[in-house]
Amino acid sequence: MSAPNDLQTGGVDSGYAWLRLVLTLVLGTVACVGNWSVVVVLPTLQLEFDTLRGGASLPYTSTMLGFALGGVAMGRLADRAGIVAPVLIGAALLGVGYVAAAFASNILQFAAISAVIGLGSAAGFSPLISDLSHWFRKRRALAVTFAASGSYLSGAVWPLVIEHFQTTQGWRATHIGIGLFVPLVMVPIGLLLRRRLETAAFAEAEAATEAARNELGLKPNVLQSILVVAGFACCMAMSMPQVHLVAYCGDLGYGVAVGTQIVSLMLGLGVVSRLASGVVADRIGAGPMLILGSSMQAVALLLYMFFDSQSSLYVISGLFGLFQGGIVPMYAVIIRQFLPPREAGIRISLVLMATVLGMACGGLAAGYIFDATGSYRLAFLHGFLWNVVNLALVSGLILWPKLRQRRRLATAS
């Protein structure tokens, strides 16, 4: 009898782990459709339901709130029961949500149903990130960024698909089509992820995180709180271009189709950024990578304030995608480095919930700033100031162990 191969007996860093990575990427790409479909239909909803930009932004905020709360609930469920249950629940919610959204008669109905869509899409993000982080040790940062890239790859693919069918079939028929397609893909892939790690792998990971936590010198809940606030701040900044670029391009006279192409470019390059940041973080550490990404995102936000030609928006948005794509996954890598692995699902989900709430609040705030001023210039400035808050927090977190070491040396001398 031949010996079992690596895919059959695979554990941490095995061939099976890499297969699981590919399946996770596909699953996240399909499930996270909810994050991006509402961005494409925002101008259409504003016209059809006769509302202002702030009102038309409500479905996006509702989606993000559902995504945030769903991420925490599904992360907790993944800790207890494994990844299959969240995926199957998410598939059902997306199917029901998209079909129901097609029959909405006003913006408030659509916003309420969008919360259900957000809950379903949550299965494609934080639970997948926490699950995949257990299967890698040497290339954990790369694995986490792969899992997180499903969201951005979704943003690169789905807007183009949705814009095409919205133009040819209408947004209501498009939503019905999404509601039928997504569960057909999610359910079989979710069932392929049934295998779970052995108890010994978790025990070994727990010992490693405890040693790293003692070296850092911060209590688990203190570190958790810092990451939550930092995550909220970075995504308050990040939301402005991602949520409003399609509408912004329409206002400038370039058209919704151009705005959709720019968003797809941004998020496609965001995938490149996320994967590249994983490679770099495995070498220099997640903390330094987080500081680098936050600094470059701030630069891109400043550029939006001064340039608005069609060609400059393509260039700046491409840079924005390259600069900010690796920020959010680094929070998950830091959590897996310092906090208990058996709590990874809920702890990663809490931080990612903060990032999603930042996206929701930032997108809504930008809409109301536009309504009040008739321009997005102050909205970009608003995002930049939140970026400064994020940069201050993450820089302090990374510098803390060095300051603590210097204090010890000074006391000893």
Side-chain angles (χ1 to χ4, degrees):
M1 181 181 296
S2 60
N5 61 38
D6 195 30
L7 291 177
Q8 294 172 327
T9 62
V12 175
D13 293 323
S14 67
Y16 170 76
W18 287 98
L19 173 61
R20 196 176 182 97
L21 181 150
V22 174
L23 293 174
T24 297
L25 180 62
V26 175
L27 186 58
T29 301
V30 174
C32 287
V33 57
N35 293 0
W36 308 111
S37 61
V38 68
V39 175
V40 178
V41 301
L42 189 154
T44 303
L45 296 178
Q46 183 177 355
L47 291 174
E48 176 152 343
F49 296 134
D50 190 24
T51 183
L52 297 175
R53 186 65 49 80
S57 300
L58 281 175
Y60 177 82
T61 300
S62 182
T63 301
M64 291 297 99
L65 290 175
F67 189 78
L69 296 175
V72 174
M74 291 189 181
R76 184 63 172 166
L77 180 60
D79 282 339
R80 294 183 174 183
I83 193 61
V84 177
V87 171
L88 297 183
I89 292 172
L93 290 172
L94 284 168
V96 171
Y98 270 102
V99 173
F103 296 94
S105 59
N106 58 63
I107 194 67
L108 293 180
Q109 285 184 9
F110 191 92
I113 297 168
S114 293
V116 177
I117 292 174
L119 285 168
S121 284
F125 197 51
S126 55
L128 294 182
I129 292 173
S130 61
D131 174 77
L132 197 62
S133 72
H134 296 306
W135 290 87
F136 289 85
R137 186 179 303 112
K138 295 179 181 178
R139 295 284 182 264
R140 179 174 292 150
L142 179 62
V144 166
T145 54
F146 253 98
S149 291
S151 172
Y152 269 21
L153 192 56
S154 181
V157 173
W158 277 109
L160 297 176
V161 174
I162 293 168
E163 171 61 22
H164 169 74
F165 284 103
Q166 177 182 244
T167 301
T168 59
Q169 306 298 326
W171 71 268
R172 295 181 186 274
T174 300
H175 276 63
I176 293 174
I178 296 171
L180 297 176
F181 172 79
V182 169
L184 291 177
V185 178
M186 288 182 64
V187 171
I189 294 180
L191 294 175
L192 290 175
L193 300 178
R194 290 192 301 266
R195 186 183 302 184
R196 303 184 68 177
L197 278 172
E198 297 179 357
T199 304
F202 281 100
E204 184 178 349
E206 173 61 38
T209 57
E210 185 176 359
R213 192 161 59 248
N214 291 335
E215 180 68 21
L216 180 64
L218 290 176
K219 294 181 179 181
N221 288 341
V222 173
L223 175 59
Q224 181 86 42
S225 299
I226 293 172
L227 293 176
V228 164
V229 178
F232 179 83
C234 82
C235 288
M236 282 289 290
M238 193 181 298
S239 63
M240 173 54 230
Q242 290 189 8
V243 177
H244 287 274
L245 258 179
V246 174
Y248 185 36
C249 287
D251 295 338
L252 293 172
Y254 306 140
V256 170
V258 169
T260 302
Q261 292 169 9
I262 293 176
V263 170
S264 294
L265 171 68
M266 175 198 297
L267 298 174
L269 291 175
V271 175
V272 176
S273 173
R274 286 198 164 173
L275 299 181
S277 71
V279 174
V280 175
D282 279 327
R283 296 187 177 185
I284 69 173
M289 187 64 237
L290 185 56
I291 293 175
L292 181 61
S294 181
S295 301
M296 293 191 298
Q297 176 176 270
V299 171
L301 286 169
L302 283 177
L303 291 175
Y304 275 118
M305 293 178 61
F306 299 104
F307 303 95
D308 62 2
S309 69
Q310 183 172 328
S311 58
S312 66
L313 286 178
Y314 271 103
V315 173
I316 296 170
S317 298
L319 291 175
F320 187 84
L322 287 173
F323 290 167
Q324 54 82 42
I327 295 176
V328 171
M330 292 304 107
Y331 299 125
V333 179
I334 290 172
I335 288 172
R336 284 294 288 111
Q337 182 179 354
F338 294 107
L339 298 177
R342 290 189 182 277
E343 301 172 5
I346 184 63
R347 289 190 177 274
I348 289 174
S349 295
L350 283 171
V351 174
L352 296 185
M353 178 185 72
T355 68
V356 173
L357 288 175
M359 293 291 291
C361 294
L364 186 62
Y368 283 117
I369 290 172
F370 176 86
D371 287 340
T373 65
S375 169
Y376 279 120
R377 183 176 295 273
L378 285 181
F380 284 119
L381 177 61
H382 173 260
F384 172 78
L385 293 176
W386 277 103
N387 203 126
V388 172
V389 174
N390 170 263
L391 190 55
L393 287 170
V394 297
S395 298
L397 178 62
I398 303 309
L399 292 175
W400 169 250
K402 296 180 180 179
L403 295 174
R404 185 166 172 262
Q405 185 178 14
R406 288 182 180 179
R407 187 183 303 172
R408 284 179 177 177
L409 293 175
T411 303
S413 61

